[in-house]
Amino acid sequence: MVKAVVGACWGDEGKGKITDMLAEDADIVVRFQGGANAGHTIVNDYGKFALHLLPSGSFNRNVTNMIGNGVALDIPQLVSEIEEVVSKGVPRPNIVVSERAQVLMPYHRLFDQYEEERLSDRQFGSTKSGIAPFFSDKFSKIGFQVWELFEDDRLKEKIENVLEVKNLMLEHIYHKPLLKTEEIFATCKEYAEMIKPYVIDSVTFMSKAVKEGKTILLEGQLGSLKDPDFGIYPMTTSSSTLAGYGAIGACIPPYEIKEIITVVKAYSSAVGAGAFVSEIFGEEADELRRRGGDGGEYGATTGRPRRMGWFDCVASRYGCRVQGTTAVAFTVLDVLGYLDEIPVCVGYEIDGEVTKDFPTTARLERAKPVLKVLPGWKQDIRGIKTYEELPENCRKYIEFIENELEVPIKIISNGPARHDIIRR
Ligand code: GDP
């Protein structure tokens, strides 16, 4: 049984928490896209963790955690995350890495930073983790798959060829120090030693796991609106954030992905630049940011304050639709307990017309939110275990949003901890 846990909007919906919880009954958790550019925060019996690359099943002894071929593999980052969780008392996680995953090279971070510097006020708001240069290289066929780290002669020759172009760019576009083959080769050999214990033939591994009926969770990073095809292009990420990409990035037959659990947050937040129709500002935003998530809405990787907004039905319905959602996990609902009234965005007004369909980027940037105000419940709902026990206005909020999303909300998260969950 293969399930995907993915995000509906801009990311930070609480996928880590939902995956960590579902991993209790899973055999394998796979990261199938993205890299170490975003993070997920997990609170469980071992403490609080900000993971970037480690799959969220890493806290469960019985789970094999795989870095799939679709991931931008930052080797030092992965190894340091493993050591970090171990140092905090977590049993050493069972990690495997696809031999076909590509390696984030040290210069990918540099190019990310240099390009953002060059763009100056036109920049993408990159986390400068090297993701965009990494995926450009992958599809320009000048990236390095993990197995290449172990083939010394061809590795050296390829580095030399790749650096020819990189150095032209460094010299003439960015005016930065040049790269040396010997140094990059030496770093690659260090990477090879670091990653060696984890490397597997993931295609054989996965096909066997699927055949044996193992419970496999595909863990997405970011959300639908950051997808390079369906998101707010070009203010998106560089690898697909959709469950469907799990078939590629984890090597799973597409028809085996039976459940697509899309994580939807009870209000909106976004990082980086780009259109955000239901965004709020000032004290109203500051208060939601302070109370949001678990200890405030600040980026797990960058510490940047997140942009805040009311729940956006248009964006979230679209986000669920492009994921192919079979069920929604509705998260961080407890945070809204302080509000007398809760506005939600139910439509976009664009050029004098109201639409409920999510538009392409230029029209999106002209959209103004059409808000509907729902009554708040003015109560702390943490600790509640059944749907019926939730305050009436809280249930009404959930049911209103469920109706707008056009997919059933089956999981409700009312606190950051693993078992702050209501099933419906
Ligand atoms: P991810 O990238 O989708 O995994 O999301 P993040 O981990 O970046 O952001 C979610 C934040 O909300 C984290 O700080 C979680 O601990 C926290 N969180 C998750 N679910 C809940 C919830 O139901 N209530 C509260 N208060 N916090 C939650």
Side-chain angles (χ1 to χ4, degrees), residues 10-298:
W10 298 265
D12 308 316
E13 296 95 350
K15 295 175 295 294
K17 179 227 160 120
I18 299 295
T19 309
D20 174 58
M21 177 200 70
L22 294 174
E24 288 186 323
D25 304 314
D27 300 302
I28 301 168
V29 176
V30 194
R31 279 286 309 273
F32 62 93
Q33 43 83 234
N37 51 328
H40 27 259
T41 310
I42 295 177
V43 184
N44 56 29
D45 296 345
Y46 297 107
K48 183 172 175 173
F49 298 86
L51 304 184
H52 305 283
L53 208 46
L54 266 188
S56 296
S58 298
F59 302 94
N60 293 273
R61 271 171 190 272
N62 304 325
V63 171
T64 300
N65 292 278
M66 185 168 115
I67 303 288
N69 54 279
V71 172
L73 174 65
D74 183 335
I75 292 176
Q77 174 71 29
L78 177 69
V79 171
S80 89
E81 279 183 41
I82 296 172
E83 294 315 318
E84 191 195 324
V85 299
V86 170
S87 76
K88 289 186 178 164
V90 179
R92 187 165 284 279
N94 186 8
I95 309 287
V96 295
V97 174
S98 168
E99 63 188 351
R100 291 177 186 271
Q102 295 218 0
V103 180
L104 190 108
M105 302 293 272
Y107 50 77
H108 287 139
R109 277 179 193 278
L110 293 176
F111 275 91
D112 203 349
Q113 183 190 323
Y114 296 161
E115 179 60 9
E116 290 279 281
E117 273 173 39
R118 188 188 71 83
L119 288 169
S120 183
D121 57 353
R122 292 170 295 148
Q123 63 177 247
F124 288 92
S126 161
T127 59
K128 304 187 183 70
S129 319
I131 298 301
F134 168 94
F135 282 104
S136 310
D137 280 4
K138 174 172 177 177
F139 294 107
S140 305
K141 297 168 289 186
I142 52 169
F144 293 81
Q145 292 193 336
V146 166
W147 62 266
E148 297 185 74
L149 299 177
F150 301 96
E151 301 284 342
D152 286 9
D153 292 342
R154 48 189 298 162
L155 176 65
K156 196 175 264 176
E157 192 184 322
K158 183 162 166 186
I159 293 171
E160 205 162 292
N161 290 336
V162 172
L163 292 195
E164 233 175 75
V165 183
K166 298 284 173 207
N167 280 336
L168 282 171
M169 292 172 76
L170 288 170
E171 189 177 349
H172 298 290
I173 300 177
Y174 300 117
H175 314 293
K176 297 286 184 185
L178 304 190
L179 300 165
K180 296 189 181 72
T181 301
E182 284 307 323
E183 282 175 17
I184 301 293
F185 179 75
T187 307
C188 284
K189 292 316 294 176
E190 282 170 29
Y191 285 4
E193 284 312 301
M194 291 164 99
I195 204 67
K196 204 170 170 183
Y198 306 106
V199 181
I200 60 158
D201 165 1
S202 59
V203 177
T204 305
F205 174 81
M206 259 308 150
S207 74
K208 186 159 171 273
V210 169
K211 217 174 262 171
E212 288 171 353
K214 297 269 196 254
T215 300
I216 300 167
L217 287 184
L218 301 176
E219 179 181 23
Q221 180 211 39
L222 298 169
S224 303
L225 303 186
K226 293 284 187 179
D227 182 77
D229 287 80
F230 296 102
I232 51 173
Y233 190 81
M235 295 305 184
T236 56
T237 193
S238 307
S239 65
S240 175
T241 57
L242 302 187
Y245 191 72
I248 312 290
C251 193
I252 299 225
Y255 53 82
E256 293 289 352
I257 306 174
K258 302 288 188 217
E259 278 184 32
I260 298 173
I261 300 165
T262 302
V263 185
V264 177
K265 188 153 75 173
Y267 54 89
S268 303
S269 73
V271 287
F276 182 2
V277 178
S278 66
E279 185 165 16
I280 53 175
F281 304 91
E283 181 45 38
E284 199 177 37
D286 289 344
E287 177 151 37
L288 184 55
R289 183 180 302 112
R290 258 196 320 275
R291 293 174 176 267
D294 177 31
E297 290 280 358
Y298 302 92

Side-chain angles (χ1 to χ4, degrees), residues 260-336:
I260 298 173
I261 300 165
T262 302
V263 185
V264 177
K265 188 153 75 173
Y267 54 89
S268 303
S269 73
V271 287
F276 182 2
V277 178
S278 66
E279 185 165 16
I280 53 175
F281 304 91
E283 181 45 38
E284 199 177 37
D286 289 344
E287 177 151 37
L288 184 55
R289 183 180 302 112
R290 258 196 320 275
R291 293 174 176 267
D294 177 31
E297 290 280 358
Y298 302 92
T301 301
T302 56
R304 292 190 289 199
R306 291 176 182 152
R307 298 163 67 193
M308 306 303 298
W310 300 126
F311 188 83
D312 185 336
C313 298
V314 179
S316 307
R317 179 174 47 247
Y318 173 85
C320 287
R321 194 177 278 170
V322 297
Q323 290 289 5
T325 307
T326 59
V328 164
F330 195 51
T331 58
V332 210
L333 187 58
D334 50 303
V335 162
L336 298 181

